[in-house]
Amino acid sequence: MFTGLIEEVGEIVAIEPAGDSVRLTIAGPVVTSDAVHGASIAVSGVCLTVVEQSETPDGRGTFAADVMAQSIRMSTLGDLSPGSRVNLERAMRADARLGGHIVQGHVDGTAELISVTPHEAWRTLRFGIPSGLAPLVVDKGSVTLAGVSLTVSDVSEPAAESPWIEVSLIPETLTATTLGALAPGDRVNVETDILARHVARMLRFDASQTTSTTEGTLS
C-alpha cells in the first residue's frame, strides 16, 4: 500500500530481458536506505518487489525488480530505457500519516498527455484516458498518475467520445516528480480510486444477486 507521495526521482540503471518479462535495476538512494529483499517499492505507480540490492559506481543504492508481461502491457514500464527517470515511493508505514490517498500500485492502464496550460506558478495538464476508466474518475476526486497522488481539477462530459481528465500541478509537484518534464504525447501510468473500482464492480451484478449473496453471508 502506498500514498502517492513521491520520495525521490530515481534512474533506470539497467534493463535485462528474460523471456516475456524484464528485470529492472533502479538507482534510488532514499528508497533503498532501509529496503530488504521482498520489500515493495512503487516505480512510477507500479508496485514492484525488491529481489536484489547493490550500488552504482558512484555509490548510489540500487534495487532490482522483475516485471512480468502483464505489468509491461498495462503500464509504461516497457517504454523505459537506461537513464529514464522514474518516481519512487516505499510502501507506507502503518503508523504514518496518510498524506495522499490509498494507492495500491496496481495500475489500470495508461493516460496520454494532451495539453499543458501554463499559469503564473503552476500548470494544468490534460490527459486522455481510456473510456472504460472515465466513469471511475470524478471532479475533485483522487487519481494516481505516474505514481503521484493528485486531485482531479476537471473531467470531460460523460458523453464525450474522447474522455479526458485535468490535474493542476503546484511548483513542488512539478520539480519533485517526473510530471514537470512531460510533453504532449507522453504516457503515464494511471490508477483510479480503489473505492470507485469496487462500486463499479458491484454495479455489474444485478440487485437479486447482490441481495442473495448478502443474505447468505449474514445467515
Side-chain angles (χ1 to χ4, degrees), residues 59-73:
R60 290 178 297 164
T62 70
F63 70 96
D66 294 323
V67 185
M68 61 182 179
Q70 182 181 13
S71 297
I72 295 173
R73 184 173 63 253

Side-chain angles (χ1 to χ4, degrees), residues 112-116 125-129 162-165 183-186:
E112 182 177 327
L113 182 60
I114 299 173
S115 64
V116 178
L125 276 61
R126 177 175 290 192
F127 291 90
I129 61 172
S162 301
W164 51 263
I165 62 173
D186 289 341

Side-chain angles (χ1 to χ4, degrees), residues 140-180:
K140 304 305 182 289
S142 295
V143 69
T144 309
L145 298 177
V148 185
S149 172
L150 298 168
T151 299
V152 178
S153 56
D154 200 2
V155 294
S156 57
E157 293 296 325
E161 293 185 6
S162 301
W164 51 263
I165 62 173
E166 285 186 351
V167 292
S168 298
L169 307 184
I170 61 175
E172 174 65 17
T173 305
L174 292 169
T175 58
T177 74
T178 61
L179 297 181

